[in-house]
Amino acid sequence: MRPLDNVIILDFTHMLSGPYGTMLLADLGARTIKIEPVKTGEGTRKLLAKDPDHSIEGMGAYFLTLARNKQSVAVDLKTEEGRALVYDLVRKADIVVDNYSRGVTGRLGIDHATLSAINPRIITCSVTGFGETGPNPDRPAFDLVAQGIGGGMSLTGEAGGTPLRAGIPIGDLGGGLFAAIGILAALNQRNLTGQGQHIDISMLDCQLSMLNYMATMQSLSGREPGRSGNGHFVHVPYNTYRTKTRHVILAVITDQFWQRLVDILDAPDLRKDAYLTQPGRWADRDVINARLQEILETESCEHWLARFGNQIPCAPVNDIAHAMADEQIRGRGMVVEVAHPSGRRVEMPGNPVKMSGMTEQVFTAPPLLGSHTDQVLEELLGLGTEARGALRARGIIG
């Protein structure tokens, strides 16, 4: 049993933010039905589809990952008959999710006002760049735009250097993550009130939320925290250091950890009384970091990790291959195999939500376009073979 086994989602999402949010819910058991254009499918199908290194039989890495555990129903939403089918599905559904630009759902007839008149219990969620209110809701936005306006890029990069976006698309992923949180909260509120509601997720809002205490620091002091590379504005040493192989991380945040580090390294010049407490180390941070770099680059990352063990907080800077091979990650079931409809399997990140009551993890193949149209229309709407055939002949379904 999975916690959302009784939930039906109609998924109108595309690209990354919306599909990531619905993927998280699908992993938790929600029956997630992608509503796609009959001829083209949704846009994510095209991403990397022709890249021989990053696709399987014309299905790229984006869709392979984001569409797992989902079903596909191909419907021409621009026809009256197609919209009528979708409205019938809305009567059976719990949630409708999109990440169109603001106003598109109204033009398609799938906005909350329309759908709640059909099913008052329906929960709708829209993820947009800037939200549906405020003075500038219609500006176009992608991940980089959200990261830039949201302030996080001002904190990312080397001191005095160029601001950098995060290596993972946190503008997009943040929107999807908060959408999933909002949907779960709305489901619980519906249990209390019997009524659905609309959830308005702004990628920009999500970026501001993740600034967290850094924004409060700026508010209190009037000073910008700025960029500090991989260092910390309080703790020393807290940084990445070159070795003969990969970079190694030291995250010394207590005086006890510092003393253990000095003992392991057996470096007499670091045994200064002034360094026994944080203020002294911070005052001499450049000297300490330079000396640690001299020591650590004499051996491999693996050597130092073995020496440090569990005595001080340390880690390798993994590339993706090393991360996916990590025994703790593997041991937690965070690398899973998902099949392409052809049967070929590919490894990808698993579901990070571990629940004692979730007795199974399921990862079904991402669907071919319209591969579940007949199944869904028969199971949920009771449409027989003849009725579906007539709709297909007129191009209403695919």
Side-chain angles (χ1 to χ4, degrees):
M1 180 179 179
R2 294 177 294 171
L4 299 181
D5 276 342
N6 65 328
V7 172
I8 296 176
I9 298 174
L10 300 185
D11 182 352
F12 290 88
T13 66
H14 64 291
M15 301 304 284
L16 184 53
S17 61
Y20 180 67
T22 53
M23 182 205 78
L24 296 173
L25 300 174
D27 286 353
L28 294 173
R31 184 175 186 177
T32 304
I33 303 167
K34 292 182 61 61
I35 306 297
E36 302 190 67
V38 172
K39 294 182 179 180
T40 62
E42 64 105 334
T44 317
R45 287 186 178 274
K46 298 180 178 64
L47 298 179
L48 298 177
K50 296 182 179 180
D51 185 325
D53 293 327
H54 301 118
S55 65
I56 299 176
E57 297 188 12
M59 185 180 287
Y62 280 81
F63 198 83
L64 277 165
T65 309
L66 296 164
R68 71 191 190 198
N69 285 333
K70 298 180 183 181
Q71 298 179 317
S72 172
V73 171
V75 179
D76 187 351
L77 194 58
K78 296 181 180 180
T79 65
E80 288 188 15
E81 287 180 284
R83 280 194 299 275
L85 281 176
V86 169
Y87 293 160
D88 286 341
L89 290 173
V90 167
R91 292 183 176 93
K92 303 289 185 178
D94 299 284
I95 301 155
V96 174
V97 188
D98 79 274
N99 61 312
Y100 295 125
S101 299
R102 192 178 79 103
V104 172
T105 56
R107 293 195 293 274
L108 292 175
I110 56 170
D111 56 295
H112 182 73
T114 300
L115 300 188
S116 63
I118 296 168
N119 178 1
R121 290 175 56 82
I122 201 71
I123 293 165
T124 60
C125 178
S126 294
V127 182
T128 60
F130 295 91
E132 299 175 12
T133 60
N136 297 300
D138 294 320
R139 295 176 61 183
F142 291 98
D143 174 78
L144 184 60
V145 174
Q147 288 198 39
I149 299 179
M153 284 180 64
S154 75
L155 307 172
T156 309
E158 296 295 334
T162 301
L164 297 174
R165 67 173 177 86
I168 58 174
I170 59 171
D172 282 326
L173 298 176
L177 179 59
F178 280 96
I181 293 170
I183 287 167
L184 295 175
L187 280 171
N188 187 66
Q189 188 168 4
R190 192 183 70 179
N191 290 337
L192 301 175
T193 67
Q195 294 292 313
Q197 62 181 297
H198 180 61
I199 303 161
D200 168 13
I201 298 292
S202 157
M203 290 165 56
L204 179 58
D205 290 355
C206 300
Q207 295 303 291
L208 258 292
S209 175
M210 289 189 284
L211 288 179
N212 202 261
Y213 69 89
M214 302 291 280
T216 308
M217 288 170 54
Q218 195 282 330
S219 250
L220 289 168
S221 68
R223 297 190 301 274
E224 292 293 332
R227 294 180 289 283
S228 56
N230 294 322
H232 199 277
F233 59 91
V234 173
H235 301 298
V236 180
Y238 190 106
N239 216 320
T240 57
Y241 302 90
R242 292 186 311 279
T243 73
K244 286 186 174 180
T245 54
R246 290 174 284 167
H247 282 71
V248 69
I249 292 167
L250 293 177
V252 173
I253 60 173
T254 70
D255 298 335
Q256 183 181 37
F257 286 141
W258 168 255
Q259 293 179 50
R260 291 179 187 173
L261 176 64
V262 172
D263 287 343
I264 291 169
L265 297 179
D266 192 23
D269 53 330
L270 294 178
R271 294 185 184 277
K272 294 184 179 180
D273 290 344
Y275 294 171
L276 292 175
T277 58
Q278 181 273 339
R281 294 195 296 275
W282 177 252
D284 227 4
R285 58 191 178 277
D286 291 338
V287 172
I288 290 173
N289 278 320
R291 180 63 179 126
L292 288 174
Q293 181 57 71
E294 289 178 357
I295 296 170
L296 294 170
E297 65 189 9
T298 63
E299 298 286 353
S300 69
C301 174
E302 294 73 19
H303 168 88
W304 292 119
L305 293 175
R307 288 282 303 276
F308 298 146
N310 293 329
Q311 297 185 70
I312 56 174
C314 62
V317 178
N318 280 336
D319 55 23
I320 293 175
H322 278 95
M324 295 278 278
D326 184 270
E327 64 179 4
Q328 178 67 13
I329 288 171
R330 293 265 172 178
R332 294 273 296 169
M334 276 308 299
V335 177
V336 298
E337 279 195 348
V338 176
H340 180 271
S342 68
R344 180 177 164 187
R345 306 182 71 82
V346 61
E347 287 191 340
M348 61 182 66
N351 171 21
V353 181
K354 313 299 182 186
M355 302 176 67
S356 62
M358 189 162 65
T359 56
E360 61 177 338
Q361 292 262 31
V362 176
F363 296 95
T364 60
L368 299 174
L369 177 59
S371 58
H372 298 91
T373 300
D374 288 329
Q375 177 187 346
V376 169
L377 295 185
E378 182 173 11
E379 290 180 356
L380 296 185
L381 304 185
L383 290 182
T385 303
E386 185 176 343
R388 297 195 308 271
L391 289 168
R392 186 167 279 114
R394 296 196 300 276
I396 306 301
I397 63 174

